[in-house]
Amino acid sequence: MIRGHHAATAADPKGLHRSGSIAGLAPLWSAATRGAPTLCATPRWLECNEPPNAGGLHYAVTADTRGALAVRRIDAGGFPANDPLAPFTADTPLEPADRQRAKALAAALRPYLPALTPTAAALLPGAYAPGVLAPEEPPVIAALLDELEATAERWRCPTSAVMHVPDTAHALRTALAARGYAGATTLAQTVLPLPGGTFDDYLAGLTSKRRRNVRREARAFAASGMTVRRAGIDEFTSEHAELHVRQLRRYGHDATAAQMVDIVRRSARFFGDWAVFLVAERAGRPEGFSLSYAHSGELHPKMSGFSPYADRHFAYFALVYYEPVAAAQELGLRRLVLGPGTYDAKSHRGCRIEPRTSYVRVTHRAAAPLVADLAALADRGGRAALRRAAAPDTP
């Protein structure tokens, strides 16, 4: 249950209910997003991910609860996957013929970058889905995009954005292009469709070569002496947190075990009943874990960690792929939602690679054409790289 929410006020003359926190709109939000039943669109998920006493958040729901909008103010230097300007400030996949052109455009854009932040970004935290949740109806989408742009103006954000739009959102993509948003596809959601039955039914959908590889990894893990059990989320301790911190530090992130314990305890208060906590143990001590959440027929892995011993014995694949597949099948779930990155490894294990396009509109006149040209190059390169990673191979 969402705690402490208050009833939303009546819709304003533009036909929108608004709030600076999801608690102010929880019942209306739930009604408006019933057509998008995904974990990261739930009021519980949104409230858990709101910083305490934070500004820079805005939610809106149409009066007829046919559409909803979540906007966050993003400052410079944010998490790259949720930074609308990341394609223009970091290395992105490019086609060889585009590299010199992109280098020249990036150099020309660089002096303007400080003037393009902060951004008002329509996104869902911890998700690879847009913060514009609406049916494929242009009038509903137009009302939400008007609200996004009004919010950007009120916050004095020179850039507005809609993040992680799937290719299937045809009306939203058309509306964004018509308003002058530039789109770049630099990542993808990865989804593993799950057959009913057992783990052997999942294996049957892979090529014979891939089946052999999975079985080889499973044998190596079994021979390691580690065993996996499903634990309660209340069993998460600093020992597990240290394993996750080790993983974060390998990728240049600074964090402490105490911070991770606090995050998991907070998550447990909001959606502990959705948790699937899998722990690999050896001689009674944790060597690795994965923490996922089950919702609306999907299992979403969100945190994992591994010891050096676990790394040497294929615990990553056991705890992020194979054990979650088996757990999801036991729970009757239909999909394992794995997020972006490591596309080759995921494709080899049966995942679909679903491109996500992030759209930006900048008000800076000199920067706007540079952003548009760079976005086109990044989009072409990103899509080509994703196509290569998703190259089909017939079982």
Side-chain angles (χ1 to χ4, degrees):
M1 292 288 293
I2 294 295
R3 292 179 291 278
H5 75 261
H6 55 275
T9 57
D12 70 2
K14 291 186 177 181
L16 294 171
H17 301 271
R18 299 182 173 91
S19 178
S21 70
I22 194 62
L25 288 177
L28 293 174
W29 182 276
S30 294
T33 58
R34 58 189 176 273
T38 185
L39 168 74
C40 298
T42 63
R44 277 202 254 178
W45 181 268
L46 294 169
E47 186 175 6
C48 183
N49 282 277
E50 287 183 358
N53 304 315
L57 297 174
H58 180 69
Y59 302 93
V61 174
T62 59
D64 58 6
T65 66
R66 292 185 59 75
L69 174 71
V71 185
R72 294 198 167 211
R73 185 172 58 235
I74 307 295
D75 295 316
F79 182 61
N82 285 335
D83 181 354
L85 298 176
F88 316 111
T89 60
D91 291 334
T92 57
L94 293 167
E95 293 294 87
D98 293 334
R99 288 171 187 165
Q100 284 302 114
R101 173 65 174 158
K103 185 177 180 180
L105 288 168
L109 179 63
R110 197 169 296 119
Y112 301 123
L113 286 173
L116 303 185
T117 56
T119 64
L123 60 86
L124 300 177
Y128 297 93
V132 176
L133 297 100
E136 285 281 280
E137 296 178 14
V140 180
I141 291 170
L144 297 176
L145 293 181
D146 286 346
E147 180 71 3
L148 167 63
E149 290 159 10
T151 302
E153 185 174 356
R154 188 173 70 254
W155 287 348
R156 298 184 180 179
C157 292
T159 302
S160 54
V162 180
M163 305 293 292
H164 310 312
V165 179
D167 286 355
T168 53
H170 303 294
L172 177 57
R173 291 165 60 89
T174 298
L176 289 165
R179 289 173 180 245
Y181 284 76
T185 304
T186 58
L187 58 78
Q189 179 63 281
T190 53
V191 176
L192 179 60
L194 298 174
T198 67
F199 190 76
D200 285 339
D201 295 299
Y202 156 69
L203 285 177
L206 303 179
T207 65
S208 59
K209 179 180 179 180
R210 291 177 181 174
R211 285 197 296 272
R212 288 195 300 270
N213 288 341
V214 170
R215 287 176 175 139
R216 174 179 58 84
E217 293 165 356
R219 286 194 300 270
F221 178 78
S224 72
M226 288 182 284
T227 57
V228 177
R229 69 181 179 93
R230 181 173 174 182
I233 193 173
D234 58 319
E235 296 179 60
F236 188 93
T237 69
S238 59
E239 280 191 282
H240 305 101
E242 288 287 359
L243 298 175
H244 183 59
V245 167
R246 175 179 177 267
Q247 186 176 354
L248 291 176
R249 288 174 180 161
R250 292 167 67 179
Y251 295 96
H253 302 297
D254 188 23
T256 68
Q259 289 171 328
M260 295 303 105
V261 170
D262 286 344
I263 287 171
V264 172
R265 286 178 179 168
R266 178 174 172 81
S267 299
R269 291 198 302 272
F270 280 88
F271 31 80
D273 52 326
W274 300 340
V276 176
F277 182 33
L278 301 172
V279 183
E281 296 170 324
R282 183 171 63 113
R285 299 294 299 275
E287 297 281 358
F289 78 89
S290 66
L291 176 59
S292 308
Y293 297 101
H295 188 272
S296 298
E298 299 175 335
L299 187 64
H300 297 253
K302 289 296 181 182
M303 182 183 288
S304 61
F306 308 94
S307 70
Y309 185 83
D311 284 340
R312 294 194 299 271
H313 295 88
F314 295 96
Y316 174 83
F317 295 111
L319 289 167
V320 175
Y321 293 97
Y322 310 141
E323 293 289 343
V325 165
Q329 288 178 309
E330 289 176 11
L331 293 169
L333 306 179
R334 302 184 307 274
R335 304 188 341 149
L336 187 63
V337 182
L338 287 161
T342 59
Y343 299 111
D344 288 339
K346 291 171 181 172
S347 180
H348 289 166
R349 287 160 179 81
C351 288
R352 291 200 310 252
I353 296 176
E354 302 177 350
R356 295 292 186 260
T357 305
S358 290
Y359 290 85
V360 297
R361 189 179 77 166
V362 302
T363 56
H364 193 293
R365 291 186 179 181
L370 299 172
V371 166
D373 288 348
L374 267 174
L377 299 182
D379 187 72
R380 182 156 55 234
R383 285 186 176 274
L386 292 172
R387 282 195 299 272
R388 289 190 291 270
D393 86 6
T394 305

